Each structure stands twice: as C-alpha cells, then as structure tokens.
Amino acid sequence: MNNNKSYKPDWVPTNGGKEFAVNIKKGVAQSTNSEIKNISRYEPTIDEYVDGVLNNNRTLLAKTITLIESNSEKHFKLANKIIQKLLPESGNSIRVGITGVPGAGKSTFIEALGLYLINEGHKVAVLTVDPSSSITKGSILGDKTRMENLSREPNCFIRPSPSGATLGGVTSKSRETITVCEAAGYDIILIETVGVGQNEITVRSMVDFFLLMMIPGAGDELQGIKRGVIEIADALVINKAEGNNKLKAELAKTEYSNALHYLTQNTNGWHTPVTLCSAINNEGIKEVWDEVLKFTNITKNSGVFFERRKQQSKKWFNFLIEEKLKTDFFNNNAIKEILPKIEEQILENNTFVIEAVEKLFSNFRSN
Ligand SMILES: Nc1nc2c(ncn2[C@@H]2O[C@H](COP(=O)(O)OP(=O)(O)OP(=O)(O)O)[C@@H](O)[C@H]2O)c(=O)[nH]1
Ligand SMILES: [Mg+2]
C-alpha cells in the first residue's frame, strides 16, 4: 500500500483513469505509544500511595481518599494497607466540627477561617459530612461547598462528602480521611456538617472541638436546635451579626450565655463560650479561633484532650466491630438464601419473630 495521504483502493485498475474518482484518505493511526497507554491505566503501588500522601502529592492524596470511599472489596483492602502505613504520621492536628442549620453560613465561615489559618502558617483540610438522609433527600451541601478563594490556596485541601453515602458510611470514610489528611501534613481539619438527624453526634465523635453556628432572630425551634446539640458544643457562634442584625445577635448572645449556665457543659474544665461573627465580612473569625486555642491549651494541660481521643478510638473500634458483624451476617450465603423465606413467613404470621431470629443465627453459625 502506498504511503501518500490519499490513495486509490485496490480494486481500481492500475491504469484506471479519472472515471475512478474514488480516493481513500489515510486516517490517523491508533496510538501504539505504550507509555501513554500505561499512564491512563497506571495503578500506583502501596508505597507510592504512602510516599505520595506523606509528600502531600495532591493527586495521590485525592486518589487515596477515593480508595477509602470506594465500596469495592479490592479498594477497601488496598486502602487499609495504605492507612496502616500512614497511621504513625497521623494525629497531629486540631480537628474541628462545625454544625448548624442549612444556610447558617458554615461554608462562608469555613472559608474565612481557613484563609485566616493559612495566613497564620497552617495547612487546612476541609471535609464535609452530608449523608443523603431521608430528611434532606440527598446532598444539601452539594455544589454549594465551593469555597472558591480557599480552594485556590495551595495549603488547603477541600474534600466534599462522597455522594450517595449513608450516615454510617460517611462516618467510616470521614475518620479514615482525617487520618490520611493528617499524614499529608494538614494540621487543622475542619469538618462541616448540616444540622439534621444524627449528624451532629456522628461528627462530635470524631473531632476535638465542636462548634455550633447559629443565626440571630430565628427562635431555637425555627433553627431546629435541640438542647442536646447545645450540650455537645464547645462553642456557640452567632453568625450574620452585622448591620440590622447586630442588636438581635447581641441579645441572642446574652440569652444563650445565660442558658448555658443551666446546661451540662460538654467538656470537663471548659465553659462553652458564645461569640458573634460576620463570616461574610470577615469579622469575629480570629476571636473564634482564639477560643479553639484556649480550649486546646486547657484540655491538653488537663489531659482531657487526649482522654477524649482515646475514648473516640475505643468507640470507633466498637462501631467497626458492629459494622463488620452486620456485613458478614447479611453477606453470608446461607442467610441470603433463607432470609427472604423467613421474612415471608413472618408476614404471613407463620412464625414468631424471636424464633425466626434464632433460626437465622443457627444457620449463620453453622456456616
Ligand atoms: N449577611 C450575611 N450573610 C451571610 C453570612 N455568612 C453567610 N452568609 C450568606 O448566607 C448564605 C448561606 O451561606 P453558606 O455559607 O452557604 O451556609 P451553610 O451553613 O454552609 O449552608 P448549607 O451548606 O446549605 O448548610 C449565603 O448566601 C451566604 O452568602 C454573614 O456573615 N452575613
Ligand atoms: Mg455549606
């Protein structure tokens, strides 16, 4: 075949004239460059992942978190091996949880705080915990978690929660994600969660300091704030305290400060403060952080800080055992086969529930 850009097909007689107008254009040959092929399929080794995270290679950091968030067994095992190697390098951070009703200004506040902290020489990782619950019907934070100025900072890493995750799922993923970010050198971890359902409790169980963001003027009921949430907070921050709102914010501050005298404090040796801020105007941000620093100073000196982390690890351990038991049980072949039948029997009132459970477990144990 000739090498010209266009040529006559084979069936055209060699001495064929212009009546054979057909010409074939040579297309672009498929790339045989094995290097290019390998790049797209390239799967880093465990050590490459580990070194990448430790050197804050953002691509490998993001890839590691993707492995953690994956539901595939293969990825899960790989992620575990990576985390195991990263564990000794983790733990050196202040973990702060931020909750509040949708629209309170959490993301705006995190952006302002993040920029302030980076300016102070810190490295900041921002995670969001936003499970698709039956109440929120999917992601509330979703696209809104942009934090555009902050996301441009080289010393900031923002990771929105995995989409479609359940609360239990988000919990397990977020904890591991914190570990990985700490190993990558992020010394401040900010976790945004929306004040719905069990989220606050979940996030409380993985942070050192828990901040409840509120807005002035709306009653507690309107803000969906239950007393229980105030009791697990280490600081109350009233946002949007500017202009016409300022006076209302001051009033709210007095009310909450008074109320806090009658409530159980969340952390031993720490009196939950109430502060004002205007995240959009960058006001009151440093004051909030000063409280966090005061808190870590006091609790580290008293040992409460470290004791809490220990207790959190213990609870986490128990939680994972429960999760594993559940997974093993429902993935067991015998259970998978017999469960629908027993459910049917229960619906038809053919068996007692307690008896059905016994039957299931004896099948589970013998398999
Ligand atoms: N006036 C005023 N508006 C603010 C302030 N902080 C945030 N906002 C506005 O409030 C709206 C909600 O802010 P977000 O930061 O997205 O609130 P959020 O709590 O993260 O909301 P969700 O992620 O949906 O739960 C936006 O329009 C912000 O511009 C503030 O200090 N003052
Ligand atoms: Mg937000």
Side-chain angles (χ1 to χ4, degrees):
M1 219 179 268
N2 75 45
N3 279 330
N4 290 337
K5 281 201 173 135
S6 64
Y7 57 92
K8 298 271 184 205
D10 294 345
W11 47 266
V12 174
T14 25
N15 55 354
K18 283 191 180 152
E19 66 276 23
F20 294 98
V22 62
N23 272 311
I24 293 179
K25 289 247 183 224
K26 261 187 96 175
V28 178
Q30 258 202 334
S31 168
T32 48
N33 187 337
S34 56
E35 236 175 79
I36 292 177
K37 279 189 182 166
N38 285 344
I39 285 173
S40 57
R41 285 192 201 151
Y42 183 67
E43 195 48 65
T45 62
I46 292 174
D47 284 339
E48 278 168 335
Y49 272 116
V50 172
D51 287 346
V53 171
L54 292 177
N55 291 312
N56 190 21
N57 173 324
R58 297 166 76 91
T59 312
L60 284 174
L61 173 61
K63 253 187 138 175
T64 305
I65 299 173
T66 304
L67 283 182
I68 292 171
E69 289 170 354
S70 161
N71 290 324
S72 112
E73 178 87 359
K74 184 178 139 217
H75 291 162
F76 177 75
K77 286 193 173 146
L78 183 56
N80 277 352
K81 286 186 184 146
I82 299 167
I83 294 167
Q84 191 67 33
K85 293 201 170 193
L86 292 175
L87 259 180
E89 305 301 326
S90 72
N92 300 318
S93 80
I94 303 179
R95 307 165 186 164
V96 179
I98 293 142
T99 191
V101 287
K106 300 177 292 292
S107 302
T108 314
F109 172 79
I110 289 174
E111 175 154 51
L113 177 63
L115 289 169
Y116 167 75
L117 293 170
I118 285 168
N119 207 30
E120 293 283 297
H122 293 286
K123 281 176 73 177
V124 180
V126 179
L127 317 175
T128 60
V129 172
D130 176 30
S132 343
S133 75
S134 53
I135 305 168
T136 63
K137 296 270 186 294
S139 175
I140 286 187
L141 303 157
D143 283 340
K144 284 191 276 168
T145 322
R146 269 190 241 115
M147 306 180 195
E148 277 165 29
N149 290 328
L150 189 57
S151 62
R152 273 190 227 114
E153 289 291 332
N155 281 334
C156 177
F157 180 78
I158 300 182
R159 184 78 182 192
S161 47
S163 56
T166 60
L167 186 56
V170 171
T171 329
S172 52
K173 312 295 179 179
S174 303
R175 285 201 178 239
E176 266 70 51
T177 304
I178 291 175
T179 306
V180 174
C181 289
E182 286 175 346
Y186 292 90
D187 62 338
I188 293 171
I189 316 281
L190 304 176
I191 306 176
E192 173 177 348
T193 189
V194 74
V196 175
Q198 280 289 302
N199 298 10
E200 287 107 342
I201 311 284
T202 309
V203 173
R204 167 74 271 182
S205 72
M206 52 178 128
V207 296
D208 306 310
F209 190 92
F210 195 57
L211 190 156
L212 172 59
M213 176 150 280
M214 300 195 286
I215 39 177
D220 284 4
E221 273 123 72
L222 256 180
Q223 294 197 49
I225 292 159
K226 290 160 237 103
R227 187 177 129 163
V229 179
I230 295 182
E231 282 182 334
I232 58 166
D234 294 308
L236 268 50
V237 177
I238 302 171
N239 189 32
K240 310 198 182 183
E242 80 264 316
N244 292 340
N245 265 342
K246 191 77 193 253
L247 196 64
K248 275 192 261 173
E250 297 279 2
L251 279 172
K253 179 178 169 172
T254 314
E255 274 174 31
Y256 283 119
S257 303
N258 290 339
L260 276 163
H261 285 292
Y262 302 102
L263 296 177
T264 323
Q265 303 291 300
N266 176 57
T267 306
N268 227 345
W270 175 251
H271 184 76
T272 308
V274 187
T275 65
L276 301 183
C277 81
S278 170
I280 214 160
N281 293 333
N282 222 352
E283 287 166 12
I285 308 297
K286 178 184 182 299
E287 286 72 6
V288 176
W289 191 250
D290 285 346
E291 294 293 348
V292 178
L293 290 182
K294 237 194 274 173
F295 173 93
T296 41
N297 246 333
I298 291 174
T299 54
K300 278 186 177 173
N301 280 333
S302 67
V304 167
F305 184 94
F306 307 104
E307 187 52 36
R308 171 176 281 157
R309 281 204 174 174
K310 274 190 200 163
Q311 292 305 323
Q312 287 178 339
S313 296
K314 193 176 146 201
K315 274 194 192 153
W316 178 226
F317 175 61
N318 289 329
F319 170 81
L320 283 192
I321 291 176
E322 282 172 30
E323 286 299 296
K324 180 142 182 60
L325 277 175
K326 271 191 238 167
T327 316
D328 282 3
F329 183 81
F330 289 110
N331 285 335
N332 179 288
N333 283 336
I335 298 295
K336 272 200 223 164
E337 201 191 313
I338 160 176
L339 189 63
K341 291 174 198 154
I342 297 192
E343 270 174 356
E344 197 69 26
Q345 288 172 8
I346 288 171
L347 290 176
E348 284 165 12
N349 258 343
N350 282 342
T351 187
F352 289 131
V353 172
I354 197 153
E355 204 178 284
V357 172
E358 284 304 322
K359 194 168 164 194
L360 276 173
F361 269 83
S362 62
N363 268 277
F364 180 56
R365 284 193 205 99
S366 57
N367 269 280

